[in-house]
Amino acid sequence: MRKKKFMNLMALALVIILLMIVSAEAKGIKLESLEVLLESLIIKPLIRGLVIAAPIGYWLAYQDGTSFVKNFNRVILYNPPTEGILPFLNILLKILFPVYSLLIVSIGFYLLLYSSSPEGRANAKSLLSKLIITLVLISLSSRLIWLIFSISGYLTDSIFSLTSLELIGEILNGGIWGMLILSTWLMIPDIELGAVSLMLVYVFAWLPYMVISLRNIVLTTLMILFPLGILLYFIPELKSIGKTILEQFLIWTFIQAFMALALVSVAKAFSVTTLVSNPEITCLNIFPVPGINNMLAWFFTSIDLGTTNLMTLGFGAVAHFSIILVPIVMVLLFKKFLP
Amino acid sequence: MRMNSRIKILIVIGLILVAMSISTAVRIPKIFGESHETGFNRMGIIIWIAKRLLYIWLSASYGTEGLNELKANLSEIVMMNPSITTLSNLMVIVIKLVFALYIPAIAFLGFYILFLSSSPEGRAEAKSMLTKLIVGLIFVSVSPQLMNLLLTVSEGLTSSILAPTAKGVFTKAWDTSIGATPLDLRLELSGLKGLHFIATFIEIELGFYTFLFFMILVWGAFIFPILIRFFAVSVFIVLFPLSILLYSFEFTKALGRTMLEQTIIWTFLQVINALIVLTVVQSIISLGEDFMKVGWGITIPVIPLVGCLMFAVAPLFIIRFFRGFLP
Amino acid sequence: MDKKSRIFTLLVVILLLSTLVNAGGALLGIIDVAIAEGLKLVAKGWIVSTGWQVIDFYEKIFDSFPLLLTTNPPMSEITSGMFFFIKIIAPFYILAIVILALYILMASSSMRGRAKAKSMLTNLIIGLVLISLSPGVLKVFFIISENLANALISMGANAGISALKGASGGLYEKFWKLTLIHRTGGVELFAIHTTLLFGLTIMLLLRHVMVILFGMLLPLAFFLYLFYPTKHIGKGLFMQTFLWTFMPIAWILALVIIGTVIGSIPSYIPEFYILIAALFFFIGSPMMILGVGDWLAFLVFLFEVLQAAPLSIGAVVIDETMK
């Protein structure tokens, strides 16, 4: 009630001031202060709404602002191509093959012709098997990587089938549009009120891509190091380094399954949770119609009344944040699991 | 207090009117942002100055809220502890819950020893476990008194550290680092308030950032070492029986140990607060107040400022050092 | 005192009269500036009202506190995911059992080898039972957590919730008082305030998501616990499930303690500090009570708080250059 009275008083004062301005203009007196203030009360808020919020709405609606929302399953399922490893693999094999072949032949000679003690023979036998296994695995490493990638991809795909992809897309979409609506609503009176929300719009648009690109970069590096990891694993002194490389490779590959699991969990939580009070914020989304690249576009702007409520906003934010949180949890939990 | 603020408002109005009537002949440059071309520039200037002064006064009063009480009652504030009587209802409920969990465990163990005794090692293990459980049960049943003892020990240590300390030096350190501005009816511009004064006249946003200094200093001094500690000690007092229960069983021993350690650390944080006060006082006395003064026109005494900052922030960091000290 | 205030009033009256004498034909200008200030006040009122609406929007999460803290997601949602993982684990499991059985029957090398294989087989069979019972285990967790939460809430958590609302109200009061002086006076405070409230919303909703996630992984946790190299991973996953399910207990305990203890704090400490300390205590309580559970939510919260400051500098630059 008090709020309403306050707003009514403000409206009344505004009307009186407008009348004063009109009468002063009619009499020919310039009231500069009033003009300046009208500009900041009417013109600048409109500018803030149109000039700042409209392009962002356009970016989200027609350009690639929402590209993660539209393509999330493809992006999460992406694995680097295994052909990239081949040059490095060839170099490694070129170095390794002669050395190891020499070692294998010499151990063979040792076993056949040089009959020493039983422990010596057992040691030599285990060494021989290790060398052979190393060579075989390294030369198969690109096939091995392809196998691990397809297992992980298949797992992620089946995790995505646990819930409908449209629901996940809806939640992500609601999150980013809701943030834009909130920030437009806040930005119109004063731009700094909407600063935090506007930044979150950009965070939601870019952060998942940054995380997934990080995964791809790390994964490519680990792919290149994969044969080296196998080699080091079978050398007793350097076993721990090889283990680390192999473990990290496996963890970073299966992170895509965990990201998918996180999004599926968000979708499930969204469908079962209801809040006691779900307030709404409505604001104008103004963006020009695409394809008309001149001033005429501003006359054909589509003005949508966008609404967001607390649950959509909250779960949308949680969805975007969980894409970065769940990999962190998994990297911290899964450590040192190879024998 | 109200008298003070009334006088302040009157002074501000008086300044405005004096400036209005004097500044008729003064040419005001346009850098102050008001674009009036008319001769009423001076009124715009005056209002501009008045707004900044009002902002400085309001934000400084928000920033230093409760500072006088802190200076006046330093010992009581540092020694503030929750009283067991207010928590007694909750403690009784937790004790009942823990009893309800202990009794079946002890009964089961007794049954195991008497009837299902398989091997000597099994019996010895079960017996030692039984003694552990019974000792734990005794601790649980006297937990209010134990907690009272813990709080009394902590308070005793704190007061023995605080009593011989020259607390006046500490309160003077607060005064020096906060400083004063002409708004406090003094002809000086010093300390954080002086910085805030100048920053607000440059740009009000900048004034907000210097207000953040106040926030960390005064609000932090109240909130972190004192109020959050108060709440944390209350929680751990109430949970003490549960932590003893968890500590007795191998399966949950880690969680129980963490909770017991937290109980002890948060309670003795008081002693650490008192130690910090003592350290700050001693360093100010030994180094002298003019040891390091930073300033271009305003002097900000660094040692008192750092001392007050330590009081606000250091306890949280020191907590991190004490970990894993229980068996 | 009386004499002083009388002198002041006299001074003010004299100054007012001199001003009126000076002001002569400048009366219109004064009205002009007065109206300008009035319009600026209207603009500030608009800022405050918008800010109030958004803060009210965020504060509605407090009404849902009891619901979000005492309920867990229904098992029907989680079981589909659990069965999915059980279906994945099942082939490996059966393979392991078959290999072990073959080993025991055929390649019986030494007594010790056979004894080890036998114990491992019993382990695996116990594990099979546990894994197929994992929905039940989760359901037991949920029942314990919900009953405990319901019992605790009735002990005075509402006083705690109203303390949190009071903290939000105190921040809002400072915001509008500072904004009425200058329109950018309180925006940073508004940013911190909304970040805190938004962080609370995210933490509560994130908890539900994490319960579902780790609930679905529970069969995998049991499976990994059975083999020696992956035992610690299984234990870690299990602990995460436990922590996220019982986190509301820590929150509700914090609310109850706040409600009980807040009256006994000496009255000379300003109430605003007590309420803000209660808010911080509420946010940090799982970390304190459960040990390590809540560092994720804390990271989210910290990230949101830290990004408020540098952004406003940019916004000030934009605003100034747009003048």
Side-chain angles (χ1 to χ4, degrees):
Chain A
M1 258 307 123
R2 262 179 63 209
K3 272 276 154 242
K4 257 199 159 179
K5 266 199 212 168
F6 180 70
M7 297 305 285
N8 281 341
L9 261 170
M10 284 298 128
L12 191 63
L14 221 60
V15 165
I16 293 179
I17 292 167
L18 274 171
L19 282 174
M20 280 187 57
I21 295 171
V22 168
S23 59
E25 290 285 340
K27 278 195 230 168
I29 308 175
K30 285 192 83 173
L31 285 176
E32 290 193 22
S33 65
L34 286 174
E35 289 186 12
V36 165
L37 285 173
L38 270 183
E39 175 186 314
S40 80
L41 262 186
I42 295 182
I43 296 183
K44 273 216 226 155
L46 276 179
I47 291 179
R48 285 193 277 257
L50 292 178
V51 173
I52 300 180
I56 303 182
Y58 183 75
W59 175 60
L60 281 187
Y62 298 122
Q63 290 179 340
D64 53 7
T66 47
S67 85
F68 180 71
V69 173
K70 297 192 181 105
N71 299 325
F72 65 90
N73 54 337
R74 275 195 320 154
V75 172
I76 291 182
L77 276 169
Y78 176 77
N79 277 322
T82 50
E83 289 85 36
I85 188 185
L86 286 174
F88 302 93
L89 187 59
N90 285 336
I91 296 176
L92 189 64
L93 276 180
K94 268 195 215 164
I95 302 176
L96 215 52
F97 210 75
V99 174
Y100 268 47
S101 318
L102 201 61
L103 277 175
I104 290 179
V105 167
S106 55
I107 291 186
F109 267 127
Y110 176 79
L111 278 177
L112 289 173
L113 305 175
Y114 218 67
S115 49
S116 54
S117 60
E119 301 113 35
R121 289 187 67 112
N123 261 349
K125 268 198 215 164
S126 78
L127 194 57
L128 188 65
S129 54
K130 266 197 211 170
L131 289 174
I132 295 183
I133 292 180
T134 315
L135 262 187
V136 166
L137 280 178
I138 289 185
S139 40
L140 282 180
S141 47
S142 76
R143 285 279 121 192
L144 215 55
I145 293 179
W146 179 85
L147 183 68
I148 295 179
F149 279 174
S150 29
I151 292 178
S152 163
Y154 183 66
L155 186 66
T156 311
D157 216 8
S158 25
I159 289 181
F160 266 134
S161 67
L162 280 176
T163 178
S164 74
L165 287 175
E166 289 87 33
L167 184 59
I168 301 180
E170 244 181 66
I171 298 176
L172 290 170
N173 203 26
I176 195 170
W177 275 109
M179 262 308 165
L180 181 65
I181 292 171
L182 190 68
S183 68
T184 315
W185 178 245
L186 281 172
M187 224 183 346
I188 293 180
D190 181 19
I191 196 172
E192 298 191 44
L193 288 177
V196 171
S197 330
L198 197 58
M199 200 236 206
L200 279 179
V201 172
Y202 283 98
V203 165
F204 289 170
W206 291 334
L207 189 66
Y209 274 127
M210 292 191 331
V211 174
I212 293 177
S213 315
L214 177 71
R215 170 188 175 260
N216 286 336
I217 293 174
V218 170
L219 206 53
T220 313
T221 316
L222 286 171
M223 240 168 55
I224 295 174
L225 289 176
F226 185 74
L228 197 64
I230 297 183
L231 174 68
L232 293 177
Y233 183 75
F234 285 107
I235 299 180
E237 309 295 311
L238 304 169
K239 187 170 184 178
S240 57
I241 304 180
K243 235 206 285 189
T244 315
I245 295 178
L246 294 177
E247 276 170 6
Q248 287 298 311
F249 178 73
L250 284 173
I251 292 175
W252 283 93
T253 311
F254 282 94
I255 274 188
Q256 69 182 166
F258 286 117
M259 281 194 219
L261 198 59
L263 286 180
V264 163
S265 312
V266 173
K268 281 180 187 280
F270 181 74
S271 51
V272 296
T273 313
T274 43
L275 294 179
V276 168
S277 50
N278 207 6
E280 293 188 345
I281 284 199
T282 312
C283 193
L284 303 176
N285 283 336
I286 306 174
F287 38 89
V289 172
I292 307 179
N293 288 330
N294 51 17
M295 290 300 288
L296 221 48
W298 288 101
F299 292 100
F300 293 100
T301 54
S302 67
I303 300 184
D304 273 343
L305 221 56
T307 316
T308 178
N309 52 28
L310 189 60
M311 199 161 99
T312 319
L313 196 62
F315 272 110
V318 168
H320 286 276
F321 283 133
S322 68
I323 294 180
I324 179 176
L325 281 179
V326 171
I328 294 180
V329 175
M330 293 309 163
V331 167
L332 287 173
L333 264 183
F334 284 77
K335 290 184 179 189
K336 308 219 174 314
F337 53 88
L338 284 179
Chain B
M1 280 306 128
R2 290 195 64 201
M3 213 47 199
N4 231 349
S5 57
R6 237 187 264 167
I7 292 186
K8 280 187 185 151
I9 293 180
L10 280 173
I11 292 179
V12 168
I13 296 181
L15 275 174
I16 294 175
L17 295 170
V18 163
M20 265 172 55
S21 34
I22 290 181
S23 65
T24 324
V26 180
R27 219 97 176 90
I28 318 278
K30 278 228 297 244
I31 57 174
F32 286 108
E34 306 288 339
S35 58
H36 307 144
E37 283 291 352
T38 66
F40 308 110
N41 236 352
R42 65 190 120 118
M43 186 130 176
I45 302 307
I46 290 156
I47 292 186
W48 188 90
I49 294 180
K51 269 198 223 175
R52 298 289 180 289
L53 286 177
L54 195 59
Y55 187 84
I56 293 171
W57 172 72
L58 189 64
S59 50
S61 77
Y62 280 153
T64 56
E65 201 175 325
L67 188 62
N68 292 328
E69 285 86 1
L70 179 67
K71 291 190 292 192
N73 308 330
L74 186 66
S75 318
E76 285 104 43
I77 289 182
V78 170
M79 294 214 300
M80 192 167 75
N81 265 329
S83 63
I84 306 282
T85 42
T86 35
L87 294 171
S88 53
N89 300 339
L90 288 172
M91 281 193 85
V92 161
I93 295 178
V94 176
I95 292 179
K96 280 192 196 161
L97 176 72
V98 169
F99 270 179
L101 289 174
Y102 254 119
I103 308 276
I106 292 185
F108 174 73
L109 265 182
F111 189 71
Y112 179 76
I113 291 183
L114 290 174
F115 298 114
L116 299 177
S117 47
S118 43
S119 61
E121 300 108 33
R123 286 190 66 163
E125 232 188 87
K127 270 197 208 165
S128 74
M129 183 111 202
L130 193 63
T131 31
K132 247 201 257 180
L133 283 185
I134 293 185
V135 166
L137 192 65
I138 297 179
F139 274 139
V140 165
S141 47
V142 294
S143 41
Q145 286 79 9
L146 260 180
M147 286 292 103
N148 222 354
L149 181 67
L150 191 69
L151 290 181
T152 319
V153 164
S154 158
E155 280 176 21
L157 274 173
T158 316
S159 68
S160 67
I161 294 180
L162 274 185
T165 317
K167 292 184 276 291
V169 178
F170 192 62
T171 51
K172 188 152 172 280
W174 277 102
D175 280 331
T176 332
S177 48
I178 299 277
T181 58
L183 278 183
D184 301 317
L185 307 173
R186 266 187 270 179
L187 269 177
E188 58 175 296
L189 199 67
S190 65
L192 284 180
K193 268 195 188 172
L195 195 64
H196 184 57
F197 194 87
I198 294 188
T200 315
F201 271 104
I202 299 178
E203 171 65 53
I204 283 201
E205 275 291 300
L206 206 56
F208 189 85
Y209 283 106
T210 47
F211 168 64
L212 278 180
F213 286 174
F214 279 127
M215 228 165 80
I216 297 177
L217 209 57
V218 178
W219 294 18
F222 265 107
I223 294 179
F224 292 115
I226 298 181
L227 286 173
I228 289 190
R229 178 198 158 263
F230 192 83
F231 287 128
V233 169
S234 317
V235 159
F236 283 113
I237 285 180
V238 169
L239 286 180
F240 182 69
L242 188 67
S243 27
I244 294 187
L245 173 73
L246 290 174
Y247 190 64
S248 322
F249 293 110
E250 267 312 314
F251 187 64
T252 49
K253 190 166 182 178
L255 188 58
R257 189 198 303 138
T258 317
M259 286 172 71
L260 281 177
E261 282 172 8
Q262 295 271 52
T263 315
I264 298 180
I265 291 174
W266 281 105
T267 314
F268 284 102
L269 198 63
Q270 246 182 350
V271 181
I272 294 181
N273 287 342
L275 273 174
I276 291 180
V277 172
L278 180 68
T279 319
V280 168
V281 164
Q282 287 300 333
S283 30
I284 292 182
I285 291 180
S286 60
L287 289 172
E289 257 198 35
D290 299 334
F291 180 61
M292 275 170 73
K293 276 193 168 192
V294 184
W296 309 269
I298 320 173
T299 47
I300 301 180
V302 173
I303 293 282
L305 185 63
V306 169
C308 303
L309 199 64
M310 263 191 70
F311 181 72
V313 169
L316 285 186
F317 289 108
I318 294 184
I319 287 185
R320 305 241 147 231
F321 287 144
F322 294 92
R323 283 196 165 178
F325 56 86
L326 282 181
Chain C
M1 259 315 123
D2 222 342
K3 208 170 163 199
K4 254 195 180 175
S5 62
R6 253 193 240 162
I7 295 181
F8 267 128
T9 353
L10 206 58
L11 267 172
V12 165
V13 167
I14 294 179
L15 287 171
L16 266 173
L17 288 174
S18 66
T19 311
L20 277 178
V21 166
N22 267 341
L27 201 58
L28 181 62
I30 294 179
I31 295 184
D32 185 21
V33 174
I35 295 179
E37 285 306 309
L39 281 179
K40 279 194 197 167
L41 211 60
V42 168
K44 291 168 194 169
W46 189 14
I47 294 178
V48 168
S49 130
T50 311
W52 181 83
Q53 282 173 350
V54 170
I55 290 177
D56 193 50
F57 172 77
Y58 279 133
E59 270 187 5
K60 288 289 194 288
I61 192 74
F62 285 129
D63 297 334
S64 312
F65 260 35
L67 184 73
L68 284 176
L69 289 178
T70 54
T71 56
N72 282 314
M75 285 300 294
S76 53
E77 289 287 337
I78 309 183
T79 43
S80 55
M82 284 177 124
F83 287 143
F84 170 77
F85 279 104
I86 293 179
K87 270 191 290 188
I88 293 183
I89 296 175
F92 292 105
Y93 220 82
I94 298 184
L95 197 65
I97 291 186
V98 164
I99 289 181
L100 264 182
L102 278 177
Y103 178 75
I104 290 181
L105 290 174
M106 308 289 168
S108 49
S109 43
S110 62
M111 277 311 290
R112 270 181 50 211
R114 288 189 68 162
K116 251 173 76 175
K118 268 198 209 163
S119 73
M120 199 154 178
L121 195 62
T122 35
N123 250 4
L124 280 184
I125 294 184
I126 293 179
L128 189 63
V129 173
L130 265 180
I131 288 182
S132 48
L133 282 181
S134 34
V137 171
L138 197 61
K139 187 75 183 160
V140 165
F141 273 176
F142 282 1
I143 291 179
I144 296 179
S145 143
E146 283 172 22
N147 283 336
L148 207 54
N150 274 322
L152 277 177
I153 269 202
S154 57
M155 277 199 281
N158 289 324
I161 297 182
S162 45
L164 296 184
K165 282 196 203 170
S168 173
L171 277 172
Y172 170 65
E173 190 187 320
K174 291 196 186 330
F175 162 64
W176 71 254
K177 280 186 185 162
L178 286 175
T179 307
L180 278 183
I181 299 178
H182 182 87
R183 71 183 188 288
T184 59
V187 282
E188 274 279 339
L189 202 58
F190 180 76
I192 295 176
H193 187 187
T194 47
T195 307
L196 276 173
L197 289 177
F198 194 51
L200 270 181
T201 313
I202 287 186
M203 274 192 336
L204 264 90
L205 295 178
L206 187 72
R207 184 215 144 236
H208 277 259
V209 171
M210 287 290 164
V211 163
I212 291 183
L213 187 111
F214 285 109
M216 288 203 279
L217 285 177
L218 201 60
L220 189 70
F222 281 138
F223 179 68
L224 289 175
Y225 189 73
L226 292 169
F227 299 105
Y228 179 67
T230 52
K231 192 167 185 174
H232 58 284
I233 301 180
K235 192 168 171 194
L237 280 176
F238 188 76
M239 286 306 288
Q240 286 290 319
T241 316
F242 179 79
L243 284 168
W244 287 104
T245 314
F246 284 95
M247 199 176 289
I249 307 291
W251 274 328
I252 296 178
L253 198 61
L255 283 177
V256 168
I257 292 284
I258 291 173
T260 317
V261 155
I262 212 166
S264 61
I265 296 184
S267 53
Y268 49 73
I269 297 185
E271 191 189 1
F272 178 65
Y273 291 163
I274 302 178
L275 297 174
I276 295 282
L279 187 63
F280 282 155
F281 176 63
F282 176 80
I283 293 178
S285 58
M287 206 160 68
M288 279 190 228
I289 300 179
L290 293 174
V292 291
D294 201 34
W295 36 268
L296 289 179
F298 207 78
L299 277 177
V300 171
F301 164 68
L302 210 61
F303 166 74
E304 282 215 283
V305 168
L306 287 174
Q307 45 83 4
L311 191 71
S312 300
I313 306 182
V316 168
V317 170
I318 293 178
D319 204 11
E320 295 298 308
T321 50
M322 270 189 63
K323 273 212 180 102

